[in-house]
Amino acid sequence: MFIHLGGEKIIRASELIAIFDISIEKSSKISKQFIQQALNDKKTEQIGEEDCKSLVVTKSKVYYSPISSTTLKKRAHQLLTN
């Protein structure tokens, strides 16, 4: 199963670890450190040109998605319950 993250980016549902609202990037020291480490390791990818609304953490990357975390969570939940 796959989850569409926006633009032309689709990931395997099995790769998904977490979906966060973009505000988490600034809300805690630990999340700031995590994002900074992903940036340093070049393991981030911004999807499209639109403003980012969510962070999608996978086994190999952190994606900045223009789709809201609520919408992405609904998509993921639908895959898990079908």
Side-chain angles (χ1 to χ4, degrees):
M1 304 268 208
F2 298 91
I3 300 172
H4 178 248
L5 301 182
E8 295 181 13
K9 183 49 96 179
I10 297 172
I11 62 165
R12 289 184 181 276
S14 61
E15 292 289 311
L16 181 65
I17 294 175
I19 299 169
F20 298 106
D21 187 84
I22 194 70
S23 64
I24 196 168
E25 189 176 35
K26 297 174 180 77
S27 65
S28 78
K29 193 175 192 177
I30 292 172
S31 62
K32 286 178 193 175
Q33 290 173 342
F34 176 78
I35 296 301
Q36 188 58 50
Q37 187 62 49
L39 287 166
N40 291 345
D41 294 344
K42 297 184 182 357
K43 292 186 176 183
T44 61
E45 183 178 327
Q46 183 165 339
I47 302 168
E49 301 292 322
E50 301 170 53
D51 288 340
C52 298
K53 296 179 182 173
S54 61
L55 289 172
V56 180
V57 180
T58 67
K59 294 177 182 178
S60 60
K61 271 192 174 178
V62 176
Y63 295 96
Y64 286 84
S65 174
I67 299 175
S68 74
S69 58
T70 305
T71 300
L72 290 172
K73 287 176 185 177
K74 285 178 187 176
R75 291 178 184 180
H77 182 72
Q78 287 174 344
L79 291 175
L80 296 173
T81 57
N82 288 338

